[in-house]
Amino acid sequence: MKTPDPFRGISVFMQVIQAGSFTLAAERLDMSKSGVAKSIARLEADLGVRLFQRTTRRLSLTDEGRQFSEGCARAIAELENVQTQVTTRQQELAGRLRVDLPVVFGRRWVLPALLEIAAAHPALELDVTLSDRRVDLVEDGIDLVIRIGPMQDSATLIAKPLGVQQAVLVAHPDYLARHGLPKTPDDLHTHACITFGSGGQTRPWHFLDRHGRSQPLAVRGRLGLNHSEAILDAALAGHGIALLSDWLVAELLSAARLIRVLPEVSTQGFPIHAVWQKNRLLSAKVRHVVDLLAERFVPKAPWQVLRK
């Protein structure tokens, strides 16, 4: 007995869904409208269900059609993913790749990896933007972004974890020699703190209690700055205690140019992700960058190796 081809008609079916009509799907597939209609009819006959509700003005999926289309989309995405995995190693990376990075983190930790890729693949055209603005991948035409913080639009995006940004309290040895080490978070109220903010508005510092719940602490900063590297400069100059990202201060802690303050106190962390569009073929270029970053950042990020 001949087994029906499980993929017969599926490409036409999915193209009709994307086009929204038999006519437009026929143009895109270089088929006749009647050919598209016959392909859909055969698929419906094979499945024993009606996939579309058709009127003179509107074409819409039935409940069965919607369920079938979702399953087809998953299967196609998996096939494309497997195909990409098989062929990626054999492909020369070429063409344009647009990547968006957070300004400070991207320049320090991601850009070096991208430059290595560019050196190894001269046919690859890298277009890298450094911005703390939350870009829209579709509207801005971005292939890959690195984001720090919780994913808010995960329904339309795929995200690969690259680790966690952890906040740490630091100060210059000279400052601590003059003012002593705080023993509890409440002691920070008696110290000179360097806070993130401007115009009299500062962000509270968040610590975690023993249950892992965030406990904000409103510290009054003697210096308020609106850029993390400026806060770091002030801390290195001995102006007070700062709360900064571990990846920003790891090398300085390793060199003892800064000292960790209240290391036993847990602080709030933010996930780091490589993010790209869902329902889009993961190209060899994007996969290569994502895989390289994953190798470097997981399971232990390079700055965690340096940190004391």
Side-chain angles (χ1 to χ4, degrees):
M1 180 178 176
K2 185 178 179 181
T3 303
D5 181 357
F7 297 104
R8 187 175 72 164
I10 287 179
S11 61
V12 176
F13 170 63
M14 297 302 287
Q15 188 61 247
V16 170
I17 294 174
Q18 293 175 15
S21 73
F22 282 16
T23 302
L24 184 54
E27 292 176 2
R28 293 178 178 178
L29 293 166
D30 195 22
M31 295 174 62
S32 67
K33 182 179 177 181
S34 63
V36 170
K38 289 178 182 178
S39 178
I40 296 299
R42 284 195 299 268
L43 183 59
E44 289 178 327
D46 288 343
L47 295 171
V49 297
R50 195 169 185 82
L51 299 173
F52 291 101
Q53 295 286 0
R54 306 173 183 84
T55 67
T56 56
R57 294 185 176 181
R58 191 164 177 263
L59 181 70
S60 61
L61 287 168
T62 62
D63 289 342
E64 293 82 3
R66 187 172 296 103
Q67 181 181 8
F68 186 62
S69 68
E70 290 172 354
C72 289
R74 289 193 297 269
I76 291 170
E78 183 61 26
L79 284 171
E80 290 175 339
N81 187 46
V82 171
Q83 183 182 25
T84 301
Q85 290 182 39
V86 171
T87 60
T88 292
R89 293 182 183 273
Q90 309 304 322
Q91 293 177 352
E92 168 64 19
L93 303 188
R96 191 166 181 240
L97 178 67
R98 293 199 63 191
V99 185
D100 185 79
L101 309 174
V103 176
V104 181
F105 176 78
R107 184 174 64 83
R108 288 182 176 235
W109 295 103
V110 183
L111 188 58
L114 296 181
L115 294 178
E116 285 184 18
I117 294 174
H121 300 276
L124 181 65
E125 301 173 15
L126 275 178
D127 185 347
V128 181
T129 55
L130 295 159
S131 171
D132 290 325
R133 178 177 68 89
R134 201 170 185 86
V135 300
D136 185 297
L137 278 77
V138 178
E139 291 185 4
D140 295 313
I142 303 295
D143 298 301
L144 178 69
V145 300
I146 304 300
R147 286 186 176 169
I148 301 175
M151 291 294 297
Q152 297 176 347
D153 46 4
S154 56
T156 60
L157 301 174
I158 298 175
K160 184 176 184 65
L162 296 179
V164 176
Q165 169 186 285
Q166 203 71 43
V168 293
L169 286 166
V170 297
H172 193 273
D174 290 347
Y175 172 84
L176 296 175
R178 295 194 310 269
H179 300 280
L181 278 164
K183 295 181 180 178
T184 69
D186 286 336
D187 291 344
L188 294 171
H189 292 300
T190 64
H191 278 265
C193 294
I194 309 166
T195 58
F196 191 99
S198 61
Q201 300 294 319
T202 61
R203 297 180 185 176
W205 289 354
H206 289 266
F207 301 100
L208 303 181
D209 63 17
R210 60 190 181 91
H211 300 292
R213 294 175 301 208
S214 179
Q215 302 294 323
L217 181 69
V219 293
R220 184 172 179 82
R222 194 170 70 86
L223 286 176
L225 302 165
N226 70 344
H227 196 282
S228 58
E229 287 185 310
I231 294 173
L232 176 59
D233 290 341
L236 285 169
H239 286 287
I241 298 174
L243 184 68
L244 290 167
S245 302
D246 53 356
W247 52 261
L248 184 58
V249 298
E251 293 172 331
L252 297 167
L253 289 172
S254 180
R257 293 183 61 196
L258 289 175
I259 302 297
R260 184 87 179 266
V261 175
L262 295 174
E264 72 283 356
V265 175
S266 298
T267 55
Q268 189 174 28
F270 294 97
I272 304 169
H273 291 101
V275 183
W276 62 93
Q277 294 179 54
K278 187 179 285 189
N279 299 326
R280 181 173 177 178
L281 175 63
L282 182 57
S283 71
K285 293 174 287 188
V286 174
R287 175 171 293 281
H288 193 89
V289 172
V290 171
D291 287 348
L292 177 61
L293 293 177
E295 288 176 8
R296 293 194 173 199
F297 289 21
V298 181
K300 181 171 264 191
W303 58 85
Q304 292 175 320
V305 176
L306 294 171
R307 191 177 68 203
K308 287 186 176 181

